[in-house]
Amino acid sequence: APLRSFSRCQKASSPSLIQPTMTNPSTPSPAASAQPQPDIILQGFNWESSKYKGSKGCWYGLVNSQIDSIAALGVTIIWLPPPSDSISPQGYLPRDLDNLNSAYGSVGDLKALVAKIKEKGIVPLADTVLNHRCARNKSGNGAWTSFAGKYNWDDKAIISNDPNFPGRGHRGTGVPIDIAPNIDHSQKFVQDSYIDWMKNILQKEIGFNAWRIDYARGFSGEFVGKYIEATEPYLAVGEFWDGLDYDGSYLRPNQDAHRNRIARWVDSTGKRAMAFDFTLKGILMVALKNHEYWRLKDGKGRPAGLNGSWPDRCVTFIDNHDTGSTQAHWPFPNDKVLQGYTYTLTHPGVPTVFWDHVFDWKLYDQIKKLIDIRKNFLINKLCAVAIEKADGEGYTARITSSIDPTKQLYVKLGDHNWSPSKERGWEPAFSSRGCAVWSRGGIPEPPKKEPAAATVGQALKAEDQSTPLARVQSFRKFNQTPLAAENITLSTREGPRPGTVVLTAQIVVDEAVVKESNSLQVEFFAKKGSVEQRAAKKFE
């Protein structure tokens, strides 16, 4: 991520948040209309996890010891930290890619953890740092540009416009960083190396089957698309993080340009990648903190962020190892975290829950309840959202499953006094300070009023409005069988509109029809020359 605090291969600094020039995203592919089951990601580490040396030996061992609790939580994907040898213990300055002994544990610890994750039916996701890589040795010119391990590249693997590490590759295709050599993904040997590492080492040897693409702004999404196409993961999500649009410290109401930059990156991958919804995170934090709930509805009435414009390609989150944890570069307001999860775990996209919130903040039970609701009511990334209120007082939306439209939720943020009707099947499902969820598993039909049974001697009428014609005939039908019309009395009166008449047929109930009087109808028939009119009306 662009704001991490770790040492560079030689020195560290923070790259500026430059906005790359991109083309408009094309229309999502038909495959995006599929109806997947609900997925939930757990980020299984924080910025300090690599330092763990407790009773479980290493971080991989600690996570392994928590697998039963993680499975019970209901998540379907676990995001693990960068697995390779790294200059920084957190793993974001990778060096020898094929060496999977890291500060988080040994390759054996990693294999044991991934095997246990898969045993629980959960998908293991690897954090892949593809934009940059640290060299092990200096080149002849004294620069750290000679790589080691299985993928022992030279400076041809480094972009020609790298700010600190002279490379002989092509010009970069994104926004370079200055903490490590930026890799030239246009080189075939680089592409082959990354595909081999991801496919043969991370997938086949370790068992990973999903990817996070670190610092996706650094190189073209075209190459990410190639890596995804070659490895066919269950899911791949990119970190395309740049600044939102502000007037000084004030977040501008319209953030369409920001989410469109993320969408264009997704589009550049051939729509193969998803993306973290940084737009929504920024809007949601301000909306909850300042009671500006109107921000949660865009100009077209949709949810804010990529969540509203392209939910099929959206991964939502509250905080991660960069924005929260000990780095806290862009933390969610502490007292609004549960309100944030109430939103993300009931809305479109694939939501992420953070290790710190689940285990360190002791929010396990509340987050599990929200996950249970999401899964039980089949709220997936394509669920429908009808926003009924978004103003300075609060936010209310009705969420409908795209898998089973009879399964619905109502979500409320804010302290306004409102709740849906219990008579319509709504039941309380979750509540906490400033947030609540109601659910119903089927939409009850309004009770039908059956007409009272007729009695012998009762007069029943049927009426129709028509233009006055020369001759009017009528006959009654009983279960579609014509009956004698001698007991039907026909009358007319002037209609409510000029040139119309109301035709009334009346029948007196007798023993022959009393039991079937509720299904008795009359057919009006009028004819003048070649013009005919027919209208069937029920006796009441």
Side-chain angles (χ1 to χ4, degrees):
L3 300 175
R4 290 199 185 97
S5 48
F6 46 37
S7 298
R8 201 182 83 185
C9 287
Q10 290 182 303
K11 67 177 184 177
S13 64
S14 298
S16 58
L17 296 175
I18 303 172
Q19 297 176 1
T21 302
M22 300 183 182
T23 58
N24 288 328
S26 59
T27 303
S29 62
S33 298
Q35 298 298 324
Q37 296 298 308
D39 271 321
I40 301 99
I41 300 171
L42 168 67
Q43 180 175 0
F45 65 100
N46 60 33
W47 191 249
E48 303 299 322
S49 298
S50 61
K51 300 176 182 178
Y52 175 81
K53 303 298 177 187
S55 60
K56 306 304 177 183
C58 63
W59 186 256
Y60 292 150
L62 176 64
V63 177
N64 201 331
S65 71
Q66 294 290 328
I67 284 296
D68 288 341
S69 293
I70 291 170
L73 184 65
V75 298
T76 60
I77 301 167
I78 299 180
W79 162 17
L80 296 179
S84 295
D85 162 62
S86 172
I87 293 293
S88 65
Q90 294 85 5
Y92 291 97
L93 291 175
R95 185 169 51 187
D96 298 348
L97 296 178
D98 57 310
N99 179 3
L100 300 186
N101 295 299
S102 73
Y104 297 101
S106 69
V107 63
D109 296 323
L110 176 59
K111 286 182 177 179
L113 172 57
V114 169
K116 184 64 71 69
I117 290 171
K118 296 176 77 172
E119 180 183 303
K120 296 294 183 179
I122 302 173
V123 176
L125 181 152
D127 200 331
T128 61
V129 184
L130 307 179
N131 174 73
H132 52 275
R133 181 185 171 196
C134 290
R136 182 169 284 278
N137 303 303
K138 290 184 177 181
S139 298
N141 61 1
W144 290 88
T145 56
S146 178
F147 302 90
K150 181 178 182 180
Y151 312 111
N152 54 347
W153 309 330
D154 60 15
D155 55 2
K156 294 190 188 71
I158 303 173
I159 62 174
S160 62
N161 60 319
D162 190 288
N164 286 302
F165 301 88
R168 292 188 294 134
H170 302 98
R171 188 169 180 82
T173 55
V175 183
I177 60 173
D178 62 2
I179 56 176
N182 291 266
I183 302 304
D184 178 9
H185 290 262
S186 69
Q187 301 278 18
K188 188 176 186 303
F189 72 88
V190 168
Q191 295 176 22
D192 291 344
S193 296
Y194 276 133
I195 290 171
D196 179 73
W197 176 61
M198 297 169 79
K199 189 170 187 174
N200 293 318
I201 295 180
L202 297 186
Q203 283 185 319
K204 292 184 179 178
E205 182 180 335
I206 305 301
F208 283 110
N209 195 30
W211 315 125
R212 172 187 180 265
I213 312 299
D214 181 69
Y215 192 59
R217 295 177 64 234
F219 60 106
S220 172
E222 172 191 353
F223 303 114
V224 174
K226 287 185 176 182
Y227 302 142
I228 295 172
E229 185 177 26
T231 57
E232 298 180 313
Y234 178 79
L235 175 147
V237 54
E239 179 205 34
F240 192 93
W241 181 10
D242 69 355
L244 275 72
D245 301 322
Y246 289 85
D247 284 326
S249 61
Y250 177 74
L251 182 69
R252 292 177 182 171
N254 189 328
Q255 295 294 325
D256 289 354
H258 185 270
R259 71 175 173 189
N260 285 345
R261 293 195 292 272
I262 300 176
R264 288 171 192 148
W265 178 83
V266 171
D267 200 58
S268 71
T269 71
K271 307 179 186 67
R272 295 182 178 93
M274 303 181 75
F276 286 105
D277 196 348
F278 285 92
T279 313
L280 175 62
K281 173 178 166 59
I283 291 172
L284 187 59
M285 289 195 299
V286 173
L288 296 179
K289 180 179 179 180
N290 299 335
H291 303 283
E292 295 173 349
Y293 303 100
W294 50 265
R295 292 183 179 273
L296 299 177
K297 182 171 71 172
D298 74 3
K300 296 182 179 180
R302 304 172 300 184
L306 193 66
N307 197 243
S309 62
W310 205 349
D312 182 54
R313 300 288 88 192
C314 169
V315 175
T316 60
F317 70 106
I318 299 302
D319 266 326
N320 60 31
H321 58 290
D322 286 327
T323 65
S325 192
T326 54
Q327 293 199 97
H329 288 309
W330 200 32
F332 214 87
N334 287 355
D335 62 337
K336 307 297 183 185
V337 164
L338 203 52
Q339 293 179 35
Y341 280 122
T342 299
Y343 183 95
T344 60
L345 288 169
T346 58
H347 277 64
V350 174
T352 305
V353 298
F354 187 31
W355 181 278
D356 290 19
H357 298 150
V358 174
F359 293 105
D360 298 342
W361 289 33
K362 310 301 182 186
L363 295 179
Y364 181 98
D365 291 340
Q366 295 96 317
I367 291 175
K368 173 176 165 49
K369 180 63 174 176
L370 289 166
I371 290 175
D372 287 345
I373 292 168
R374 185 177 186 88
K375 297 179 78 171
N376 290 340
F377 287 85
L378 301 177
I379 305 301
N380 68 357
K381 63 183 179 179
L382 296 176
C383 61
V385 180
I387 300 174
E388 299 183 1
K389 179 183 178 69
D391 53 26
E393 186 182 38
Y395 173 88
T396 303
R398 187 177 70 255
I399 317 297
T400 302
S401 169
S402 63
I403 301 171
D404 180 356
T406 68
K407 295 184 179 297
Q408 294 185 314
L409 305 177
Y410 254 119
V411 181
K412 183 182 81 168
L413 301 175
D415 296 320
H416 56 292
N417 186 19
W418 177 90
S419 62
S421 170
K422 188 171 183 179
E423 286 69 29
R424 293 289 292 153
W426 295 102
E427 295 290 344
F430 176 84
S431 65
S432 187
R433 181 182 176 186
C435 55
V437 180
W438 294 263
S439 63
R440 65 177 178 182
I443 303 174
E445 294 294 332
K448 293 182 179 179
K449 281 190 176 182
E450 291 295 336
T455 58
V456 174
Q458 182 178 354
L460 301 179
K461 291 183 179 181
E463 291 188 337
D464 181 51
Q465 183 174 302
S466 178
T467 57
L469 298 176
R471 185 166 55 89
V472 177
Q473 296 177 334
S474 68
F475 59 90
R476 63 176 180 171
K477 281 187 165 183
F478 177 58
N479 291 339
Q480 304 303 311
T481 302
L483 298 178
E486 60 269 14
N487 292 330
I488 296 179
T489 302
L490 181 68
S491 62
T492 64
R493 69 177 187 272
E494 184 178 348
R497 297 196 306 273
T500 64
V501 295
V502 175
L503 311 177
T504 302
Q506 179 172 300
I507 183 174
V508 177
V509 176
D510 56 23
E511 295 287 352
V513 300
V514 66
K515 293 182 181 179
E516 303 291 344
S517 59
N518 286 345
S519 61
L520 195 63
Q521 66 181 14
V522 64
E523 182 180 73
F524 295 96
F525 170 76
K527 183 174 182 179
K528 182 177 182 180
S530 60
V531 179
E532 294 186 358
Q533 279 189 343
R534 293 178 183 269
K537 298 292 180 177
K538 188 176 180 181
F539 279 108
E540 295 179 346

